[in-house]
């Protein structure tokens, strides 16, 4: 019927679309395109194109510190002995000026992965300082004996090399007692700059109670991983501080724009070891 009607029309009167099905497809395609663009606009926030590696754009220019994060999963029956042995060796390295490294903090995980030790080291001088330490430790007989003894206590271990965000506090020793929360974010590849742009503005909302300890992003190990380290008096203080942030203008926008950048996230509540500079 529609085809017969189409043939009777003159050239000037011919419809733009040969049948109603073709028109329906075009309308649906246009609608879907607009819907997708509208939906995408809710989550995608435009940022300036990158002109350098994100490590150069986001890290502190005035320092050349490199950080190492160690995660050691310890046999439950060996945790106390492990803590004592690690504290002894860490104190020696921390106080020895021949080694350009220092312990920033050492913890046991309280809530999260159980029977786990987390250590944060700082290498003053970046990668050359790390290489210097490794070469010296290879010749240190006491340290080699320590590694052999420690291996008997461990189930597994892994580490990461990190840089610190320029807009975060540099971790400094603090008195206690405190509990520490390490919030770990695994980002979508290519989103680190955008993450940094938003957190550079958001961090001001989390400074009033001096809970911000340090912010880091990985360079070697699991990539596109961010660690935020916070200190609280206790779990209730943590809850009150985090709830108060939502009353500050701008915090909700920071969360709104950064959540879509995250692939997964994890929270650890940690207790500092007696030897840790961060108490």
């Amino acid at each position: 019927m529609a085809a017969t009607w189409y043939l009777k029309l003159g050239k000037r009167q011919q419809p733009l679309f040969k049948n109603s099905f073709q028109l329906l497809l075009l309308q649906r395609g246009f609608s879907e395109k607009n819907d997708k663009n509208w939906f995408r606009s809710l989550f995608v926030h435009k940022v300036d194109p990158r002109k350098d590696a994100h490590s150069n754009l986001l890290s502190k220019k005035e320092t050349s510190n490199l950080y190492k994060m160690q995660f050691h999963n310890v046999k439950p029956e060996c945790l106390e002995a492990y803590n004592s042995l690690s504290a002894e060796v860490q104190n020696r390295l921390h106080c020895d000026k021949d080694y350009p490294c220092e312990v920033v903090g050492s913890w046991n995980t309280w809530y999260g992965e159980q029977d786990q030790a987390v250590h944060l080291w700082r290498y003053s001088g970046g990668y050359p300082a790390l290489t210097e330490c490794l070469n010296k430790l290879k010749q240190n007989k006491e340290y080699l004996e320590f590694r052999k003894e420690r291996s008997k206590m461990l189930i597994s271990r892994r580490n990461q090399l990190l840089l610190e965000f320029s807009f975060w506090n540099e971790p400094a020793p603090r008195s206690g007692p405190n509990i520490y929360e390490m919030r770990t974010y695994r980002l979508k590849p290519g989103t680190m700059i955008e993450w940094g742009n938003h957190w550079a503005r958001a961090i001001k909302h989390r400074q009033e109670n001096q809970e911000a300890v340090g912010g880091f992003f990985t360079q070697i190990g699991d990539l596109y991983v961010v660690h935020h380290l916070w200190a609280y008096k206790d779990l209730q203080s943590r809850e009150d501080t985090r709830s108060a942030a939502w009353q500050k203008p701008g915090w909700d926008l920071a969360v709104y724009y950064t959540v879509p950048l995250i692939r997964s996230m994890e929270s650890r509540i940690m207790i500092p070891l007696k030897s840790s500079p961060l108490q």
Side-chain angles (χ1 to χ4, degrees), residues 18 29 56 101 125 138 140 157 160 238:
K18 295 184 178 180
N56 294 331
C101 64
K138 289 177 182 178
N140 187 323
R157 61 192 177 98
Q160 299 169 342
R238 170 189 177 273

Side-chain angles (χ1 to χ4, degrees), residues 16-258:
L16 181 60
F17 304 101
K18 295 184 178 180
N19 54 59
S20 57
F21 179 71
Q22 185 180 15
L23 177 60
L24 179 61
L25 287 178
L26 184 62
Q27 288 175 335
R28 181 177 297 175
F30 180 77
S31 175
E32 289 178 353
K33 182 178 180 181
N34 283 344
D35 288 345
K36 288 179 180 178
N37 288 339
W38 173 84
F39 185 76
R40 190 180 294 113
S41 69
L42 293 179
F43 299 98
V44 177
H45 188 68
K46 293 182 179 180
V47 295
D48 294 335
R50 287 176 52 182
K51 298 179 181 178
D52 201 350
H54 67 243
S55 58
N56 294 331
L57 296 172
L58 295 174
S59 61
K60 294 184 177 180
K61 299 295 189 297
E62 66 275 13
T63 65
S64 57
N65 291 332
L66 180 69
Y67 292 83
K68 179 172 71 174
M69 185 87 73
Q70 294 176 309
F71 300 91
H72 290 173
N73 294 318
V74 186
K75 296 177 182 178
E77 67 273 15
C78 298
L79 186 59
E80 185 174 348
Y82 168 90
N83 288 339
S84 298
L85 183 62
S86 294
E88 180 182 351
V89 174
Q90 286 179 357
N91 286 335
R92 291 183 184 179
L93 293 177
H94 186 80
C95 298
D96 194 333
K97 295 182 179 179
D98 287 337
Y99 292 87
C101 64
E102 57 183 326
V103 182
V104 176
S106 287
W107 304 267
N108 284 146
T109 301
W110 184 22
Y111 287 103
E113 197 162 355
Q114 298 293 285
D115 302 310
Q116 185 182 69
V118 179
H119 308 292
L120 181 62
W121 293 82
R122 179 192 292 124
Y123 295 86
S124 302
Y127 291 108
L130 173 66
T131 301
E132 180 183 348
C133 282
L134 293 177
N135 289 335
K136 288 182 176 180
L137 289 174
K138 289 177 182 178
Q139 309 301 321
N140 187 323
K141 293 183 179 180
E142 290 186 2
Y143 181 76
L144 295 177
E145 286 298 318
F146 156 73
R147 284 176 59 91
K148 186 184 297 184
E149 189 65 26
R150 185 186 66 182
S151 66
K152 302 174 184 177
M153 306 177 183
L154 296 181
I155 298 173
S156 64
R157 61 192 177 98
R158 62 187 176 90
N159 57 26
Q160 299 169 342
L161 293 182
L162 318 164
L163 295 177
E164 56 186 329
F165 285 109
S166 61
F167 46 86
W168 269 78
N169 308 336
E170 183 166 342
R174 63 172 66 195
S175 57
N178 295 295
I179 63 171
Y180 289 81
E181 180 180 21
M182 185 164 69
R183 296 179 71 85
T184 299
Y185 304 90
R186 295 170 181 84
L187 305 184
K188 298 175 183 177
T191 61
M192 188 66 73
I193 295 294
E194 189 171 358
W195 178 273
N197 286 344
H198 291 301
W199 266 98
R201 294 186 290 269
I203 190 64
K204 64 182 180 181
H205 301 303
R206 300 295 307 276
Q207 297 280 16
E208 290 184 3
N209 296 321
Q210 298 182 334
E211 69 267 26
V213 178
F216 313 91
F217 58 98
T218 55
Q219 287 290 282
I220 296 179
D222 297 330
L223 298 179
Y224 284 96
V225 175
V226 171
H227 299 294
H228 289 176
L229 188 60
W230 310 91
Y232 305 100
K233 292 181 180 180
D234 50 39
L235 288 175
Q236 186 59 52
S237 173
R238 170 189 177 273
E239 177 68 18
D240 295 341
T241 301
R242 288 175 54 80
S243 296
W246 285 98
Q247 309 305 317
K248 300 174 183 177
W251 177 251
D252 55 341
L253 288 177
V255 175
Y256 176 83
Y257 284 123
T258 54

